[in-house]
Amino acid sequence: MTDPLVGAELPDLRAPEVTRATLALFAGASGDHNPLHIDTDAARAAGFDDVPAHGMLSMAYLGRLVTSWVPLGAIRSLKARFSAMTPVHARPHCTGRVTAVEEGADGERLARIALTVRLADGTATVRGEAVVAANALTPTAAAPATRTSAPTASAPTTSAPTTSTRTASVHP
C-alpha cells in the first residue's frame, strides 16, 4: 500500500527577481564575496555576459520552500546539485514533491521530497532532495498554493552542469 503522502506537492515558492542588490546582500550575509557574482567586469573577464547569482542563493530558496511546509526541526537533510546558471534578473521558481515515505534506521518515518528550481524558460538550475520527519506532514498540508519570497538563498552559477553537491543536515 502506498503512503498517502507520496505524490503530495509542496506549495510553490516564487522568489523575487534576482537583482544586483540581492546578490550584494547575499554576498554580505553568506560571506561569499566572489567578484564573479557582484562585479560585472570580473564576470565578463570570466566569460559571462553579466554576473551570475550565487549557487547557494537558490539552495537557500529551496530551504525556505521546505520550511514553509515543515518546521526546521523536522528537516533531517537537504542536498542540491547545481545544473545551470541563474542570471541576474531571473525569477527562480521552486517546487517540491514527496517521492517516498520510508522508515529510517532509528524507526522514524521519513519523507523524501524531490526539489527543483526552474527559470521562466523552464531551465532547471538546481535539483535536490530534502528528507523530513513524516510525522510533521499531512496530505492536506500539500494543497496547491503559490507564495512569493524575499531574497535569501542561492542561485546556480554555471552554464554547464556541474558535479557540485551541497548537503546540509539539521539536527533538532
Side-chain angles (χ1 to χ4, degrees), residues 29-122:
S30 68
D32 182 354
H33 297 282
N34 182 335
L36 179 70
H37 301 299
I38 52 179
D39 182 331
T40 304
D41 291 336
R44 287 188 179 136
F48 297 102
D49 293 333
D50 205 343
V51 295
H54 301 76
M56 293 303 291
L57 178 59
S58 289
M59 188 164 180
Y61 285 135
L62 288 178
R64 181 175 285 172
L65 171 69
V66 173
T67 59
S68 74
W69 206 46
V70 298
L72 181 61
I75 298 173
R76 300 300 178 253
S77 69
L78 175 63
K79 61 184 178 180
R81 181 177 185 277
F82 306 105
S83 56
M85 185 181 336
T86 297
V88 70
H89 304 301
R91 294 180 185 271
H93 176 205
C94 305
T95 59
R97 183 175 175 275
V98 177
T99 58
V101 176
E102 55 204 26
E103 188 173 315
D106 62 355
E108 181 180 33
R109 197 167 150 250
L110 301 171
R112 292 191 175 279
I113 304 169
L115 303 168
T116 305
V117 179
R118 290 189 186 279
L119 302 179
D121 68 2

